[in-house]
Amino acid sequence: MFTAIEAAFAGTGWPLIAAAYCAVGIIVSRPRGSFGARFMGIMGWPIELAQKLAGHGPLPYLFLLPNLLVFGIYTFAPFFINIGFSATEGQSILFSERDWAGTANWARLFSDIHPDTAGRNLEVAKFYRSVMDTAVFVVFQVPIMVFFALLTALVLNRKIVGRGFWRSVFFYPVMLSPVVVGFLWTLILKRQGVLSLTLIEWGWIDEPIQWLTDPAWTMFWSVFVYTWAHLGFYMLILLAGLQAIPKDLYEAAQMDGTSDWRMLWRITLPLLMPTLLVVTVLSLIKAFQAFEELYAMQVGWISIVSYIFETSGLRGQPTAHGLGIAATASLAIAVFLALLSLGQIALSGRRNWQ
């Protein structure tokens, strides 16, 4: 390992740079105390120097700077680049090689008449189909997710045998890669998969069923697998909310002879409502962004993210206006999700104000 490191830095003069860094650290920090304290003082001399020069006021912003850089590079910069793609056209990703399009991409995505051919715009039907399929998925998946996450959190918040083990079991799918989840369920749900062969052996069906592409089953299994994969995350949030409710309220209610159902409706759910609101909005946003598991399973419907992925040319042959149309579609969905988040903030603020 050290040989590889030495080869990587060969010819860079890194020993001299490291020695100079340590020398400056000794001069600036003047380390005292144990060996560990002295070492940390020498290594962290830029922070100490900044603190001496500027005081304690700017120091928190210095620690926030790496996070801001990450957000700027991987969140804000791509967002503004996406806006640029939506206002230009062409196959290249370089703005110098793209022509100004103005609102043409919006017309290509939402107008019934294609702005380039003056004929029927087939892209609109494809986009609306993906939006409708995603809407159906969200309408069924989000309530099911929230209901079972709440039910699981309520059960695992009680004193049951092996409570820590069951919490780990329900949270385990969250730690799996979405692609792994998709391939795992593909082995179960494909035409010659475990489920079809088992049902045939039991005599429940006569021939194998392609559960992931059959129109009668593809949405059901999409909702089931996606809920299975993400249930533990929302369960953990609700579990934290349940544990934040003061125990004194339950003890007082028990002394008054209140039933468990009444405590659930009068104490638990009202006090858990802010957490439930956060979970609902997060699950809504996540459901609209569903892609990895569905893509790996190759389900028989197309989500809005899959539409953007394919239209942009990331899979298949790029088209003349595909990247601009995909950027425009992603901006439209981003605006919708931003409105959802603002609604959640407004509702939370109103509840806190009351």
Side-chain angles (χ1 to χ4, degrees):
M1 182 180 70
F2 293 105
T3 304
I5 295 175
E6 185 178 356
F9 289 95
T12 60
W14 66 269
L16 182 60
I17 296 174
Y21 182 90
C22 293
V24 174
I26 294 174
I27 296 173
V28 172
S29 63
R30 296 179 181 178
R32 298 176 182 177
S34 64
F35 174 78
R38 293 181 181 183
F39 178 77
M40 295 305 297
I42 294 173
M43 292 296 102
W45 69 263
I47 300 296
E48 187 172 348
L49 180 61
Q51 184 176 345
K52 288 180 179 180
L53 295 176
H56 292 278
L59 196 60
Y61 301 99
L62 182 63
F63 287 108
L64 289 174
L65 182 61
N67 237 8
L68 292 177
L69 289 175
V70 171
F71 271 102
I73 295 173
Y74 295 104
T75 301
F76 297 113
F79 177 75
F80 289 113
I81 291 174
N82 201 52
I83 294 177
F85 283 149
S86 68
T88 56
E89 56 188 9
Q91 295 185 2
S92 176
I93 62 174
L94 302 177
F95 286 109
S96 59
E97 299 178 7
R98 296 178 62 84
D99 298 325
W100 174 257
T103 59
N105 286 320
W106 292 91
R108 295 184 181 109
L109 191 62
F110 292 102
S111 177
D112 293 333
I113 304 300
H114 200 286
D116 301 313
T117 63
R120 183 183 176 186
N121 190 359
L122 300 179
E123 195 67 38
V124 175
K126 185 179 178 181
F127 174 68
Y128 284 169
R129 175 64 184 275
S130 67
V131 171
M132 292 302 299
D133 286 347
T134 304
V136 172
F137 174 78
V138 170
V139 166
F140 284 99
Q141 194 273 331
V142 173
I144 292 174
M145 173 73 80
V146 174
F147 174 77
F148 281 102
L150 176 60
L151 181 63
T152 307
L154 289 171
V155 173
L156 296 182
N157 193 45
R158 302 176 67 89
K159 294 181 179 180
I160 60 175
V161 178
R163 182 170 60 178
F165 169 76
W166 291 113
R167 288 177 179 177
S168 302
V169 167
F170 279 93
F171 188 75
Y172 176 73
V174 180
M175 298 186 294
L176 295 176
S177 167
V179 178
V180 172
V181 172
F183 284 138
L184 173 65
W185 282 97
T186 299
L187 296 176
I188 299 173
L189 299 174
K190 64 182 181 179
R191 183 174 178 83
Q192 299 295 333
V194 175
L195 182 59
S196 290
L197 296 179
T198 302
L199 294 180
I200 291 175
E201 184 177 350
W202 290 352
W204 290 12
I205 59 176
D206 297 326
E207 58 182 12
I209 300 175
Q210 178 55 280
W211 304 97
L212 297 176
T213 57
D214 189 329
W217 289 102
T218 180
M219 187 61 69
F220 170 82
W221 285 110
S222 299
V223 171
F224 180 89
V225 172
Y226 201 78
T227 302
W228 178 85
H230 298 275
L231 178 67
F233 174 73
Y234 302 106
M235 175 209 71
L236 198 64
I237 297 176
L238 292 172
L239 193 58
L242 288 172
Q243 294 178 351
I245 299 176
K247 303 299 181 184
D248 299 343
L249 298 176
Y250 294 107
E251 294 174 358
Q254 288 175 350
M255 293 177 63
D256 292 338
T258 307
S259 65
D260 291 342
W261 280 107
R262 189 169 180 82
M263 283 192 289
L264 174 65
W265 290 105
R266 296 296 183 179
I267 298 177
T268 304
L269 291 182
L271 294 179
L272 194 63
M273 197 56 65
T275 308
L276 267 175
L277 179 61
V278 172
V279 166
T280 301
V281 174
L282 287 178
S283 59
L284 271 171
I285 294 174
K286 187 66 176 178
F288 272 104
Q289 296 174 341
F291 174 67
E292 293 96 338
E293 293 91 348
L294 305 178
Y295 182 77
M297 292 190 300
Q298 298 182 353
V299 295
W301 60 281
I302 182 170
S303 67
I304 184 64
V305 180
S306 297
Y307 167 81
I308 295 172
F309 183 75
E310 294 180 0
T311 305
S312 64
L314 294 175
R315 184 180 73 170
Q317 183 66 28
T319 58
H321 310 298
L323 186 57
I325 294 173
T328 304
S330 66
L331 282 180
I333 299 302
V335 170
F336 177 73
L337 295 180
L339 292 176
L340 278 180
S341 300
L342 291 175
Q344 182 260 330
I345 294 173
L347 289 175
S348 299
R350 182 179 178 182
R351 180 172 294 275
N352 293 333
W353 182 77
Q354 291 175 346

